[in-house]
Amino acid sequence: LREWGWGSTDYGQALRGLLAVTGRELDAGATVVILGDGRDNFGDPALEALEEIARRARRVVWLSPESVHAWGTGDSEMLRYRSRVSEARTVQSLAQLERFADELLRNPAW
């Protein structure tokens, strides 16, 4: 936390960065899993980058630690992100994360 913490979340930069580093490797065989609350601190949410990621990948799943009721409040972009991914869900515990991973591994074509 001393070195990397206390900064603002910048999903726009992260999404554009993902596109930049994956190049052609991000294709219809890929499943992209994004972990985060979707709060961009009123920055650029880079919706066009997420749309491009979703266009290239087989599926994009966003796992948020926040309740669906908090999505779209304050600086949350989750409602806008949710409309651009294959699935968005709340994951607030290791048990929920484990269930998601099991689903993903049991049904790779999902």
Side-chain angles (χ1 to χ4, degrees), residues 7-76:
S8 296
T9 306
D10 188 342
Y11 285 99
Q13 180 180 358
L15 293 168
R16 283 188 288 275
L18 177 63
L19 282 173
V21 300
T22 57
R24 293 185 208 193
E25 294 170 355
L26 181 57
D27 61 21
T31 296
V32 176
V33 179
I34 301 170
L35 305 170
D37 60 12
R39 292 191 176 273
D40 72 345
N41 296 290
F42 302 104
D44 175 11
L47 298 173
E48 71 288 343
L50 183 57
E51 289 167 355
E52 179 64 14
I53 292 166
R55 187 187 68 73
R56 290 187 195 182
R58 176 187 315 161
R59 63 183 172 243
V60 178
V61 181
W62 195 302
L63 305 178
S64 173
E66 290 193 332
S67 165
V68 173
H69 301 293
W71 295 3
T73 64
D75 63 344
S76 173

Side-chain angles (χ1 to χ4, degrees), residues 75-92:
D75 63 344
S76 173
E77 293 289 350
M78 278 306 298
L79 294 178
R80 292 169 71 186
Y81 288 146
R82 176 179 66 182
S83 70
R84 289 162 171 85
V85 299
S86 311
E87 181 181 356
R89 65 167 78 175
T90 297
V91 173
Q92 296 177 323

